[in-house]
Structures are given as C-alpha cells and as structure tokens.
Amino acid sequence: MKKLKQPIFFHPAKSKKHPFSFCQSANNAYICKCECWHCQANEDTTVMKYALLPDEKPRRLTFYLAMEEYLARKVGDCEWFFMWQVKPTVIFGRHQLMENEVNMNYCRAHGIETYRRKSGGGCVYADMGNVMLSYVTSSKDMHLTYNRYVNLVALALWKMGVEAKVSGRNDILIDGRKVSGSAFHRMPEGSIVHGTLLYDTQMEHMVGSLTPSGEKLQSKGVASVRQHITLLREHTGKSLPEVMAVLRSTFCDGEQRLTDADVERIETLEQDYLSTDFILGNNPRHTILRHRRVEGVGSMEARMEIKNNVVKAITLTGDFFHTGDVETILQPLRGIPFTREAMEAALPEDLGKTIRNLTREQFIQLLIPNE
C-alpha cells in the first residue's frame, strides 16, 4: 500500500487545522484513517448523485444557481453534485455593493456578464477556462457541510498527484497559492456549497473586471495576482475534462438526468436572479460609514444614518458568510442611542450563529471603534 504525505485540512469540530491520513490501496481506493469523533461520524452512507441536464446547450450562470436551489428543494435521501462552465461572467456575493466590487465599464467593453448570488463571500470571475462546482445536501450544519465539500475537492486533487491543502475560511491551496474558493447558502430544505476551480483562465479579465477595495487586484496588476493564485493546469498533466472526471468519481455514487419539465421549473426560479433590483441591490443613505477586515470573518462595511445620536438606519455589506438572517442583528440596533453601551445591551448574544465566526465585540468595534 502506497502511503501519501499527510495533508492538513480544516477541522470544524475543534476549529483548528487537523491531520487526515490517507492511504491508497491497490485498487486506487482512498481511505480516511483519522479516528476522531467528527471524522467517524462523517463517514455516512448517503448516496450522492451527479445531476445531468437533458441537453448540453450553453446557459447563463444564473440558471445554475437556480438549479442548485431546485435540487435543494428535492434533495430527499440523497445528495447532489454537478459541474458547469460559463462564458466570461462576474458573480458577486449577496452582501456586496456592486459599485464597490465590479468594474462595470470594463465588463461592458469586454462582454462580461454580471450577476449577484444569494450566498455570502466575495466577488468571483469565471470563464470557460475554469470549472464551477455545486454541492447540495440536506444537512443544515455549515461547518460539517463545508468540511465535507472542501475535503472531497482536495481529495480529488490528491488523486491527481496534486498536494492540496484546505486553508482559511473556504480556500484550497497548492504550494501556498489559491486554486479554489467556495461559498455557502442555507435553505429551509438543506444547504448549498458552490465553488470555483481554476484550471486556466484569462487573467487580464479577472484583474480588469474586479475592483475590490483599493490595494487589491487592479492596483497591483496581473503579476501580483499570480503570486496569490495558481492554475491547476500548472500542477497536473490532466486535461480539464479529465480533471472533471476525477472530481465526479470522487464525489458521486451514481447519476440522475433531469427532465425537460425540471428545466422549465429551474428557469422559473432563475427569474429571481435576473431581477434588476436583486442584481443592483440596495445602496442606502448614510451619515457614517465604517469599514474594516475582521479576522476570520472577512471584510465588513456598515452604513449608518445617525440623527440626534440615534441609529435611524443601518445596513451591512461585505464578503462575510451568513448562516442566518442578518436582519436579526441589525433590527435591534435601529432606534437605539449610538453608544457602545446601548449596542451591547441590544445585540443578540451569539452573532456567530448568523455571521460565521463574528463576535459581539468585533461587531461593536466595527460600528464604534475604540479611540
């Protein structure tokens, strides 16, 4: 039996990096040798099916987001996985302001489509040089769902001889550089994780179409971005179709082809994503704007309208991941005095149940920083 090097993956049960030891048998089966309670509990027998469409015609990115929702509503006793590719498109997170994240002039000039998704996280550029991954499960536990998804992706890469590691909030790295990121969306029926896998891509479009805050992509250019991300084609001799085949065999136990009727229902759900109001989002009035990057949470920007030292309105944007309704945090703050004491008294006790990893002190420090 061939012993692989020990990859390090994020372990949600202990909130720290955790070693998984994989062995490869003669028939190329990979076995998790970790004996912690979390990994033993995660060794379930749930069937994961690959979702096939009745045809292979090109579709907008929004169709595939709607397809995730449709499958989540009928997840039943199995899980779903599928992969998709789109023409050049920018997709930004639910809580982001498009004006802060997307270079619309560049996108219009180069025919790059722009859409908003319902999951949190940051802005992503996609084209036919990479592959998008969708995982749908009945589990509502964000940490376990993320863990299962990212470790299956990393395991698929290890099967290709690529030493991948899970790092940070949602990234997969090769030699310390990002090759994949993902985002999470919880629905009443279950959970969705969708992610990117950079096989090859047009770096000029990635840099030109995204405009994250000042010091990032566009100001530093392609050379700087290439220091932080990597392309899978540089680490494997496999073609993109071969990579997709390994991913599919790692995730799935079987397949199921959707019907034309399923496609019609998905196209109905897609209309929500095509709404101008949804794509543009809300750009609220404000008298105070606070912005900071919160360790383990992401970038957060609070816009507040303060009158007579009372919070009249407050909104929150950023690339953080939500696991509940953000309004449960914001609503108690409206109408209270703009003081630390009032906010400490009004805020829910555990903000981490709504925004991943966020503490009360971190949030109050964002709104009213200590001098």
Side-chain angles (χ1 to χ4, degrees):
M1 183 177 289
K2 176 184 175 183
K3 183 75 172 179
L4 299 180
K5 292 182 181 179
Q6 189 178 68
I8 303 298
F9 293 121
F10 176 69
H11 191 282
K14 298 181 180 179
S15 296
K16 67 180 183 181
K17 288 182 177 178
H18 175 73
F20 282 59
S21 178
F22 288 107
C23 292
Q24 184 181 29
S25 65
N27 65 353
N28 290 322
Y30 284 71
I31 306 167
C32 175
K33 305 298 289 183
C34 173
E35 296 180 354
C36 74
W37 70 266
H38 165 72
C39 296
Q40 293 299 311
N42 206 34
E43 288 184 355
D44 59 41
T45 58
T46 304
V47 173
M48 192 183 305
K49 294 181 180 180
Y50 191 85
L52 290 166
L53 289 167
D55 58 68
E56 298 182 0
K57 70 179 185 181
R59 290 179 166 88
R60 288 178 296 236
L61 181 144
T62 50
F63 175 88
Y64 299 105
L65 298 179
M67 181 173 166
E68 293 171 340
E69 283 197 38
Y70 180 72
L71 293 175
R73 295 177 186 188
K74 57 176 292 184
V75 68
D77 57 357
C78 76
E79 297 179 325
W80 297 92
F81 176 72
F82 64 96
M83 292 173 282
W84 40 285
Q85 292 174 281
V86 292
K87 65 182 184 179
T89 305
V90 168
I91 177 174
F92 45 99
R94 177 162 196 157
H95 305 290
Q96 294 187 301
L97 288 176
M98 187 174 72
E99 65 188 56
N100 289 355
E101 308 298 331
V102 184
N103 185 337
M104 290 304 299
N105 289 335
Y106 184 94
C107 290
R108 280 190 285 265
H110 294 84
I112 299 172
E113 297 180 353
T114 55
Y115 300 109
R116 183 185 298 276
R117 62 180 186 268
K118 294 182 181 179
S119 60
C123 199
V124 173
Y125 168 79
D127 59 27
M128 295 298 291
N130 65 1
V131 60
M132 311 294 282
L133 316 176
S134 294
Y135 167 52
V136 181
T137 175
S138 60
S139 171
K140 297 181 182 179
D141 188 308
M142 180 185 67
H143 295 294
L144 295 182
T145 300
Y146 252 132
N147 189 68
R148 179 160 164 75
Y149 168 81
V150 296
N151 285 318
L152 282 170
V153 174
L155 177 56
L157 295 177
W158 275 73
K159 289 182 179 181
M160 295 179 242
V162 178
E163 296 190 14
K165 295 183 179 180
V166 177
S167 175
R169 298 185 303 158
N170 60 331
D171 296 340
I172 297 176
L173 310 181
I174 301 173
D175 296 334
R177 294 188 293 165
K178 181 175 177 177
V179 73
S180 178
S182 55
F184 173 91
H185 177 47
R186 178 181 291 156
M187 294 183 58
E189 301 85 355
S191 301
I192 295 166
V193 178
H194 38 214
T196 62
L197 183 61
L198 291 173
Y199 181 82
D200 195 4
T201 195
Q202 295 188 56
M203 297 301 301
E204 294 81 5
H205 281 352
M206 177 183 287
V207 173
S209 61
L210 307 184
T211 56
S213 51
E215 75 280 3
K216 290 188 182 178
L217 295 183
Q218 201 167 30
S219 62
K220 294 188 175 182
V222 172
S224 178
V225 175
R226 290 294 275 120
Q227 293 176 6
H228 298 92
I229 70 167
T230 190
L231 302 176
L232 184 56
R233 66 171 174 78
E234 298 171 354
H235 304 273
T236 179
K238 292 185 179 296
S239 66
L240 183 52
E242 290 171 331
V243 168
M244 293 171 71
V246 175
L247 284 162
R248 177 171 170 173
S249 65
T250 302
F251 271 85
C252 299
D253 308 291
E255 65 180 43
Q256 182 170 327
R257 189 173 296 276
L258 302 184
T259 65
D260 291 334
D262 291 321
V263 170
E264 289 180 7
R265 296 184 187 105
I266 292 169
E267 289 172 342
T268 299
L269 291 174
E270 183 188 8
Q271 298 310 305
D272 288 345
Y273 291 95
L274 298 175
S275 160
T276 301
D277 288 344
F278 178 74
I279 294 173
L280 296 181
N282 181 28
N283 193 348
R285 288 170 39 184
H286 62 279
T287 54
I288 294 179
L289 187 149
R290 305 280 199 226
H291 177 88
R292 68 180 298 189
R293 187 157 195 87
V294 180
E295 183 66 29
V297 178
S299 68
M300 306 188 78
E301 182 175 285
R303 298 187 177 209
M304 296 172 284
E305 184 180 357
I306 309 298
K307 188 174 182 179
N308 297 327
N309 206 43
V310 172
V311 181
K312 294 297 184 182
I314 179 171
T315 59
L316 191 63
T317 60
D319 65 0
F320 53 86
F321 295 115
H322 67 280
T323 56
D325 186 356
V326 176
E327 277 297 305
T328 61
I329 295 176
L330 301 182
Q331 184 56 40
L333 303 181
R334 298 185 180 111
I336 70 169
F338 185 53
T339 66
R340 292 182 68 92
E341 294 74 19
M343 290 187 175
E344 287 173 353
L347 281 171
E349 194 63 33
D350 188 359
L351 303 191
K353 290 182 178 179
T354 303
I355 297 178
R356 185 181 180 188
N357 297 333
L358 182 65
T359 67
R360 294 172 88 248
E361 180 54 37
Q362 287 173 326
F363 189 55
I364 294 171
Q365 183 65 16
L366 166 70
L367 302 182
I368 308 180
N370 290 324
E371 297 298 334

